[in-house]
């Protein structure tokens, strides 16, 4: 850092003995129709949280058109064989419930929370959405029109424009390469296409029901069998996709937003999935690089230089591929300076082993934050869903901390060299071309794009 | 009906610092917060944005904790931290594994006792704050809408009407003297509450609070400026250009009753009748049925935590083929319907169940899932600083569950009046958008 030595605090109390972290018992079952169920009790509040996942998302139907699973999920809560939209929304409120339906690249999901005293009727409604969605014509037309406005609007958000470009660069024609449909694609959506996706994907054999909260697991299992047991449906056939591109060398992609008063930087390279044996060590390397407030990147370009408010790095894991990325929204006149520091910190981690003290700090951070999932029902649900959807070992939660703590400086050095792929980093720069082009060119021959995603 | 009771113990130290401990051993995690009773509403005139800039300075160094070390000590204990500035309070909070409790208390006490920052720190955080404003407001579609656009239109008292994120000229004008003066005036133990929630025993929490905070000297009770508004007697209007967005936007704000007055509970439920998600009357009518709007949401911001003039604000983004006038007329019809006919017994029952359910959710989490007990901390802090009664957290629900249909209709007629509201239009400047003569009326 430019400021040289870092002063330490004097007199801070030592940490007391660590209290054991005990993850709650999980009850796992497979219902007679093939539906996988995972339950965990958490009695902190008289509520419960749940998700009904389907292991098919936008990628599985991308060969038809992008965003189709997302649109299907949107429609699912707008009408069923038993109820029209208004009745659905009022009934959910009567149960004190929140419910959303959406789809990502790899899964579709109904996410819900409600009072435990009304658990059974809420699950009845979830079952209704999963089995008896009616896709009313008028609802479809309205939601399609809404979606058209949404896809126009997202093109005015620098963060969206950056991630759209990076995903395209890293994944090309692979379904992961298109994060959102175009206006023309939305305009061409057909109700029948959504119904086909629904029939294929929303089946018990393709589903996972996760519930966390204030209930008795054995009773809840009986309730689940009663509500979901008669549902039938096969697992859809798995799709295979062509390998994504593997861009070599640093390249710059400048998305021109006229009048932008700040520049959104987003850099990325291919990395790994959650199942990869290097996942934990990459997580630790990332938290040290730019994944925590106390990380090197944040301390450098925010706390030392004041270039940005919100620098961050992260590892995004999709089912088939993963990628490492670094983002920062910076002042227009420090685009080159920020990129220089981003690469400086990356190359430093790739060259010099971290000290054991810094390593211990990062290990404590990662294992402490991981355990915070225990404190809330939805935090716990999120941890359980990560384990289940990625088919991680049953003891993943229990052993995570010891795996983090077993890592050594040489592990991080090797991990940084392997995955913080400085030489092949793809650099997306979203801002006003006239103000940033010269700076961006210092890092590679730029390609230029407009906000519609067209190369110019 | 299951009721949730929060166990707690509270005390006031000799220096006036209020302390609330809420033990719960569900997880080996403890949340520690310090709330100061000063927000951006009453920041110094000529120093817009200062309360928030000052919040950043609280992470820049204190007597025994040089710059960056507070963050480092929390993160390296396995914890997360942040701070936030709102209208009437500023908070600092962290959630850590409970073995770090004493460390956190020591850190918070050190910066309550003595800030130690220099010009370089101030310049650095001024730059950071400007990028924060750019990323959240100036470089985003509908950035700051309506929370920054509405106050200058709706209010006449500078306290309520100024730019809370700060005009850049005011941020530039702020110097270390301002920082120290603000600290000396407001960051006093007798103007704060300490909250410790989660994996701690009540008695232990009280003892530790005394150990670390008792020695911090009290100061003169701050003299707060008067945030009272002159009586509003006419509908107010404002216009803001939308630089990036594609849709015309509108916000309508009505002045609300003071919190914890007789009308407050009924108004909060009426707010839910209007804004409560997809079942709310405004979303249902404007988005789902008439299909004029793409988004229609809003409500009373931080209903438990305001301590001065506040609005219930509706935010509408509507389709370009409709004019602002058409969207407003549809909005007015929804309001008129509830004023004329009230709400049904069935609707009220639904609202109460949902309110109770949301309240429990607030107590458990309430901030993005990463900060356990943030919501409980916030309620306990506001009930302590504004009401001196943290136990309200266990009793306040009753008032909402006892609201009648008649009360809801009555508060509607009393507060949802045109002469008590302000309207801000934020229409796109780009060609092809709906503003002005290009608008096409199809409704």
């Amino acid at each position: 850092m430019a400021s040289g030595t870092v002063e330490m605090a004097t007199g801070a109390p030592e940490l007391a003995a660590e209290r054991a972290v005990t993850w709650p018992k999980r009850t796992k079952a497979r219902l007679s129709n093939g539906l996988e169920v995972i339950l965990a009790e958490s009695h902190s509040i008289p509520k419960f949280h749940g998700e009904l996942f389907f292991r098919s998302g936008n990628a599985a139907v991308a060969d038809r058109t992008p965003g189709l699973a997302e649109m299907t999920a949107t429609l699912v809560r707008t009408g069923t064989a038993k109820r029209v939209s208004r009745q659905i929304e009022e009934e959910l409120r009567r149960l004190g419930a929140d419910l959303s339906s959406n789809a990502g690249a790899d899964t579709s999901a109904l996410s819900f929370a409600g009072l435990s005293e009304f658990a059974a009727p809420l699950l009845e409604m979830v079952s209704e959405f999963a089995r008896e969605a009616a896709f009313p014509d008028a609802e479809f037309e309205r939601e399609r029109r809404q979606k058209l406005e949404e896809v126009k609007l997202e093109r005015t958000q620098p963060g969206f424009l950056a991630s759209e470009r990076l995903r395209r660069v890293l994944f090309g024609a692979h379904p992961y390469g298109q994060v959102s449909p175009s206006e023309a694609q939305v305009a061409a959506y057909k109700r029948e296409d959504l119904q086909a996706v629904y029939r294929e994907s929303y089946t018990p054999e393709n589903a996972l029901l996760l519930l966390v909260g204030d209930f008795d697991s054995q009773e809840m299992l009986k309730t689940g069998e009663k509500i979901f047991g008669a549902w039938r449906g096969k697992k859809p056939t798995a799709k295979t996709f062509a390998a994504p591109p593997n861009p070599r060398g640093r390249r710059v992609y400048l998305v021109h937003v006229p009048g932008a008063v700040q520049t959104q930087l987003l850099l990325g390279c291919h990395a790994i999935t959650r199942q990869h044996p290097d996942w934990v060590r990459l997580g630790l390397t990332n938290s040290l690089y730019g994944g925590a407030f106390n990380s090197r990147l944040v301390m450098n370009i925010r706390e030392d230089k004041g270039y940005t408010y919100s620098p961050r790095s992260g590892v995004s894991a999709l089912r088939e591929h993963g990628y490492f990325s670094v983002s920062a929204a910076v002042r227009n006149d420090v685009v080159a300076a920020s990129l220089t520091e981003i690469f400086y910190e990356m190359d430093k981690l790739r060259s010099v082993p971290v000290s054991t003290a810094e390593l211990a700090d990062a290990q404590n951070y990662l294992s402490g934050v991981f355990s915070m999932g225990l404190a809330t029902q939805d935090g716990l649900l999120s941890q359980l869903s990560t384990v289940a959807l990625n088919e991680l070992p049953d003891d993943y939660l229990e052993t995570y901390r010891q795996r983090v703590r077993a890592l050594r400086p040489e592990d991080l050095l090797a991990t940084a060299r392997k995955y913080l792929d400085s030489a092949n980093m793809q650099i997306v720069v979203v801002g006003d071309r006239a103000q940033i082009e010269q700076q961006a060119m210092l890092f590679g021959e730029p390609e230029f794009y407009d906000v519609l995603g067209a190369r110019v | 009906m299951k009721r949730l009771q929060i166990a707690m113990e509270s005390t006031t130290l000799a220096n006036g610092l209020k302390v609330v401990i809420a033990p719960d051993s569900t997880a080996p995690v403890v949340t520690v917060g310090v709330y100061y009773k000063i927000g951006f509403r009453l920041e110094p005139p000529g120093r817009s944005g200062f309360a928030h800039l000052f919040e950043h300075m609280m992470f820049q160094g204190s007597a025994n904790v040089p710059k960056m070390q507070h963050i480092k000590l929390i993160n390296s204990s396995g914890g997360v931290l942040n701070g936030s500035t709102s209208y009437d309070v500023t908070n600092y909070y962290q959630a850590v594994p409970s073995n770090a409790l004493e460390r956190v208390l020591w850190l918070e006490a050190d910066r309550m006792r003595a800030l130690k920052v220099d010009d370089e720190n101030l310049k650095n955080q001024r730059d950071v704050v400007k990028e924060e404003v750019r990323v959240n407001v100036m470089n985003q579609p509908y950035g700051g809408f309506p929370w920054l656009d509405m106050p200058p239109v709706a209010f006449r008292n500078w306290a309520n009407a100024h730019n809370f994120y700060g005009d850049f000229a005011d941020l530039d004008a702020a110097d270390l003297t301002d920082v120290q003066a603000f600290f000396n005036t407001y960051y006093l133990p007798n103007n704060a509450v300490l909250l410790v929630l989660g994996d701690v025993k009540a008695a232990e929490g009280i003892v530790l609070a005394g150990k670390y905070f008792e020695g911090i000297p009290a100061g003169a009770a701050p003299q707060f400026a008067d945030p009272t508004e002159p009586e509003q007697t006419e509908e107010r209007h404002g216009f803001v250009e939308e630089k990036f967005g594609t849709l015309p936007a509108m916000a309508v704000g009505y002045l609300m009753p003071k919190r914890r007055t007789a009308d407050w509970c009924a108004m909060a439920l009426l707010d839910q009748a209007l804004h409560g998600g997809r079942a709310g009357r405004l979303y249902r009518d404007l988005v789902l049925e008439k299909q004029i709007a793409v988004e229609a949401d809003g409500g009373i911001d931080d209903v438990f935590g305001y301590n001065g003039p506040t609005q219930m604000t509706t935010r509408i983004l509507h389709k370009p083929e409709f004019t602002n006038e058409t969207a407003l007329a549809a909005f007015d019809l929804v309001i008129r319907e509830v004023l004329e006919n009230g709400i049904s017994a069935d609707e009220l029952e639904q609202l109460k169940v949902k309110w109770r359910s949301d309240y429990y959710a607030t107590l458990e989490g309430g901030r993005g899932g990463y900060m356990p007990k943030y919501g409980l901390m916030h309620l306990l802090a506001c009930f302590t600083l504004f009401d001196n009664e943290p136990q309200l957290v266990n009793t306040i629900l009753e008032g909402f569950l006892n609201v009648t249909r008649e009360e809801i209709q009555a508060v509607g007629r009393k507060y949802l009046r045109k002469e008590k509201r302000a309207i801000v239009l934020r229409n796109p400047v780009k060609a092809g958008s709906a503003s002005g003569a290009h608008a096409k009326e199809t409704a």
Side-chain angles (χ1 to χ4, degrees):
Chain A
M1 313 242 359
S3 51
T5 56
V6 174
E7 290 176 81
M8 305 299 283
T10 46
E14 291 301 312
L15 297 178
E18 198 167 61
R19 246 198 65 183
V21 171
T22 311
W23 293 90
K25 178 174 169 293
R26 279 81 82 186
T27 301
K28 292 189 177 190
R30 194 174 284 279
L31 303 187
S32 50
N33 59 355
L35 175 64
E36 189 183 347
V37 180
I38 300 175
L39 308 173
E41 295 180 26
S42 165
H43 302 282
S44 48
I45 49 171
K47 293 191 71 165
F48 76 113
H49 284 69
E51 293 209 64
L52 181 60
F53 286 105
F54 300 96
R55 292 180 166 89
S56 313
N58 291 308
V61 288
D63 51 349
R64 294 171 215 177
T65 191
L68 206 54
E70 172 67 19
M71 195 63 188
T72 303
T74 300
L75 260 295
V76 152
R77 64 111 40 93
T78 63
T80 67
K82 298 195 180 92
R83 284 179 254 240
V84 299
S85 169
R86 179 167 176 167
Q87 291 169 318
I88 288 167
E89 301 307 335
E90 290 188 355
E91 190 59 25
L92 286 169
R93 186 165 67 179
R94 190 188 310 282
L95 302 176
D98 291 296
L99 181 135
S100 64
S101 55
N102 44 54
D106 300 316
T107 56
S108 301
L110 290 157
S111 311
F112 48 94
L115 292 165
S116 32
E117 65 205 75
F118 299 130
L122 178 53
L123 290 173
E124 295 273 9
M125 290 193 73
V126 171
S127 161
E128 211 174 300
F129 299 137
R131 298 158 73 176
E132 298 176 89
F135 296 85
D137 260 324
E139 300 286 337
F140 168 69
E141 289 304 333
R142 190 199 61 243
E143 294 295 348
R144 181 171 62 172
R145 176 62 204 276
Q146 290 272 119
K147 188 71 190 173
L148 270 175
E149 297 299 342
E150 281 169 32
V151 299
K152 276 188 239 181
L153 212 47
E154 66 195 6
R155 304 209 152 274
T156 65
Q157 296 159 351
F160 171 84
L161 294 172
S163 64
E164 174 191 53
R165 183 54 35 203
L166 182 65
R167 286 280 283 264
R168 177 61 84 194
V169 166
L170 292 179
F171 295 105
H174 187 282
Y176 294 164
Q178 185 167 357
V179 295
S180 193
S182 69
E183 282 181 53
Q185 286 164 335
V186 172
Y189 281 163
K190 293 199 176 45
R191 178 175 169 265
E192 297 71 38
D193 297 339
L194 308 186
Q195 288 175 299
V197 171
Y198 183 67
R199 273 194 309 273
E200 292 162 33
S201 304
Y202 288 59
T203 68
E205 286 190 7
N206 195 34
L208 163 68
L209 177 65
L210 263 169
L211 300 173
V212 173
D214 182 31
F215 51 71
D216 176 273
S217 294
Q218 290 312 311
E219 287 301 314
M220 185 55 92
L221 212 48
K222 285 183 212 156
T223 306
E225 179 68 50
K226 207 167 96 198
I227 292 172
F228 293 95
W231 180 24
R232 294 283 177 271
K234 296 280 177 223
K235 201 174 181 57
T237 45
K239 300 259 173 64
T240 52
F241 307 111
N246 184 19
R248 299 287 86 191
R250 281 183 196 171
R251 301 173 74 97
V252 176
Y253 311 84
L254 194 158
V255 183
H256 174 48
V257 178
V261 297
Q262 187 181 48
T263 301
Q264 176 68 52
L265 304 177
L266 181 65
L267 294 76
C269 62
H270 279 283
I272 51 178
T273 69
R274 284 253 180 197
Q275 288 180 326
H276 196 284
D278 287 343
W279 178 262
V280 171
R281 58 185 66 195
L282 180 54
L284 186 63
T285 307
N286 172 63
S287 93
L288 218 142
Y289 174 74
F293 204 160
N294 183 45
S295 62
R296 292 178 174 192
L297 184 69
V298 179
M299 287 300 145
N300 182 339
I301 64 176
R302 175 182 151 128
E303 290 298 302
D304 187 45
K305 305 207 172 60
Y307 292 161
T308 175
Y309 169 64
S310 48
R312 203 80 186 154
S313 71
V315 194
S316 305
L318 298 160
R319 186 185 293 151
E320 292 192 7
H321 301 280
Y323 60 100
F324 170 76
S325 65
V326 188
S327 69
V330 306
R331 214 163 63 226
N332 283 339
D333 63 353
V334 294
V335 167
S338 301
L339 287 169
T340 301
E341 298 302 329
I342 286 168
F343 282 117
Y344 165 75
E345 294 294 355
M346 214 178 277
D347 293 338
K348 191 171 156 195
L349 259 187
R350 292 167 53 90
S351 316
V352 186
V354 300
S355 71
T356 50
E358 190 181 0
L359 175 65
D361 284 355
Q363 287 169 319
N364 276 344
Y365 173 71
L366 209 56
S367 47
V369 169
F370 188 78
S371 309
M372 260 169 223
L374 258 181
T376 56
Q377 292 178 354
D378 58 345
L380 187 53
L381 181 72
S382 148
Q383 297 279 47
L384 296 180
S385 68
T386 298
V387 173
L389 290 173
N390 293 287
E391 293 163 4
L392 303 175
D394 281 342
D395 64 354
Y396 184 84
L397 300 176
E398 279 80 3
T399 59
Y400 180 85
R401 298 209 306 176
Q402 75 199 52
R403 280 184 294 128
V404 168
R405 289 190 165 144
L407 296 171
R408 294 289 159 258
E410 55 272 25
D411 299 321
L412 266 67
L413 188 65
T415 306
R417 285 179 177 168
K418 201 163 164 189
Y419 298 110
L420 275 55
D421 194 2
S422 170
N424 296 304
M425 201 59 67
Q426 305 305 303
I427 305 166
V428 179
V429 179
V430 181
D432 191 308
R433 178 171 171 175
Q435 299 198 48
I436 58 177
E437 178 177 353
Q438 296 301 320
Q439 298 180 71
M441 278 173 64
L442 299 171
F443 295 84
E445 190 56 41
E447 293 177 8
F448 299 100
Y449 294 86
D450 64 18
V451 293
L452 295 175
R455 190 157 177 192
V456 290
Chain B
M1 186 190 296
K2 274 196 191 176
R3 284 302 173 84
L4 184 60
Q5 284 293 307
I6 303 294
M8 78 180 77
E9 198 149 322
S10 58
T11 189
T12 304
L13 303 184
N15 58 9
L17 178 67
K18 298 189 165 99
V19 179
V20 183
I21 314 291
D24 169 11
S25 59
T26 303
V29 173
V30 67
T31 300
V32 176
V34 178
Y35 274 62
Y36 295 93
K37 191 178 169 181
I38 179 67
F40 42 60
R41 193 194 303 273
L42 299 181
E43 61 197 355
R47 289 287 180 271
S48 67
F50 189 78
H52 170 246
L53 176 61
F54 183 87
E55 175 222 310
H56 279 242
M57 296 308 292
M58 284 289 278
F59 295 87
Q60 293 297 303
S62 54
N64 296 292
V65 185
K67 178 176 163 86
M68 301 184 192
Q69 293 302 303
H70 188 113
I71 297 162
K72 174 186 152 70
L73 282 168
I74 297 297
N75 278 172
S76 66
S77 303
V80 288
L81 73 162
N82 214 333
S84 72
T85 312
S86 53
Y87 293 86
D88 300 300
V89 295
T90 305
N91 65 11
Y92 302 87
Y93 52 90
Q94 36 262 309
V96 294
S98 47
N99 64 324
L101 174 58
E102 288 208 44
R103 177 175 283 188
V104 176
L105 294 172
W106 178 83
L107 283 166
E108 285 295 359
D110 202 62
R111 64 179 170 180
M112 183 185 289
R113 187 189 314 269
L115 196 59
K116 191 178 170 195
V117 294
D118 59 25
D119 275 320
E120 195 186 337
N121 303 146
L122 179 59
K123 182 191 174 306
N124 168 251
Q125 290 304 307
R126 194 188 282 134
D127 286 346
V128 169
V129 166
K130 285 181 184 173
E131 292 319 302
E132 178 178 352
V133 176
R134 289 192 176 108
V135 78
N136 287 335
V137 182
M138 298 164 69
N139 208 42
Q140 288 297 331
Y142 310 102
F145 179 73
W147 82 277
L148 292 175
D149 296 329
M150 180 59 84
V153 177
F155 296 121
R156 294 292 175 265
N157 183 334
W158 186 88
N160 307 308
H162 70 277
N163 177 358
F164 304 126
Y165 242 153
D167 299 325
F168 281 12
D170 284 357
L171 295 178
D172 287 337
D175 62 18
L176 275 187
T177 315
D178 296 318
V179 170
Q180 198 57 51
F182 195 77
F183 181 79
N184 292 346
T185 308
Y186 299 110
Y187 279 65
L188 304 166
N190 44 316
N191 193 43
V193 57
L194 165 71
L195 308 116
V196 184
L197 313 97
D199 188 24
V200 58
K201 300 241 178 342
E204 180 199 9
I206 298 278
V207 168
L208 290 176
K211 175 177 170 187
Y212 289 102
F213 288 86
E214 207 157 54
I216 303 171
Q223 300 300 307
F224 293 101
D226 181 4
T228 308
E229 279 291 317
E231 171 99 11
Q232 182 180 354
T233 56
E234 79 297 335
E235 187 175 83
R236 291 171 180 168
H237 298 269
F239 304 88
V240 179
E241 283 192 342
E242 170 51 38
K243 190 174 153 192
F244 300 108
T246 51
L247 295 172
M250 173 191 314
V252 187
Y254 292 92
L255 198 60
M256 289 290 99
K258 287 186 174 170
R259 71 189 269 290
R260 300 210 58 227
T261 55
D263 293 338
W264 176 62
C265 290
M267 195 62 232
L269 285 187
L270 176 53
D271 173 16
Q272 290 303 303
L274 293 169
H275 295 105
R278 292 171 66 102
R281 284 164 174 251
L282 285 165
Y283 190 90
R284 187 175 75 210
D285 191 84
L286 271 63
V287 178
L288 297 180
E289 290 174 4
K290 293 211 180 81
Q291 302 180 24
I292 291 170
V294 173
E295 292 176 25
D297 51 28
I300 307 170
D301 185 29
D302 195 5
V303 68
F304 297 102
Y306 66 91
N307 196 35
T310 293
Q311 290 181 311
M312 175 185 78
T313 311
T314 306
R315 177 186 187 272
I316 295 167
L317 265 61
H318 62 86
K319 294 175 181 169
E321 64 265 33
F322 296 99
T323 60
N324 295 140
E325 291 72 25
T326 304
L328 183 61
F331 171 89
D332 280 338
L333 270 182
V334 175
I335 302 296
R336 192 192 305 162
E337 159 67 22
V338 83
L339 302 194
E340 283 177 4
N341 301 319
I343 68 171
S344 71
D346 185 44
E347 186 176 358
L348 180 57
E349 183 50 34
Q350 292 171 27
L351 291 168
K352 287 179 179 177
V353 177
K354 187 63 166 58
W355 184 270
R356 180 163 57 93
S357 183
D358 288 349
Y359 187 72
Y360 296 154
T362 299
L363 295 184
E364 191 207 31
R367 189 109 175 167
Y370 74 95
M371 188 61 66
K373 296 192 188 292
Y374 182 93
L376 175 61
M377 171 184 78
H378 185 65
L379 295 191
L380 289 171
C382 293
F383 293 147
T384 303
L385 288 177
F386 302 144
D387 311 290
N388 202 18
E389 202 181 339
Q391 297 83 0
L392 278 175
V393 83
N394 285 324
T395 56
I396 201 134
L397 196 51
E398 292 307 315
F400 297 97
L401 301 184
N402 290 331
V403 167
T404 65
R405 293 170 58 201
E406 292 71 27
E407 287 167 340
I408 288 192
Q409 193 168 11
V411 294
R413 289 176 173 173
K414 188 167 166 188
Y415 295 96
L416 306 188
R417 304 161 74 97
K418 289 190 177 172
E419 70 270 23
K420 296 290 179 198
R421 76 180 184 184
I423 299 168
V424 176
L425 304 181
R426 183 155 166 173
N427 290 328
V429 290
K430 282 182 188 163
S433 64
S435 51
H438 301 295
K440 195 178 76 187
E441 192 69 2
T442 60

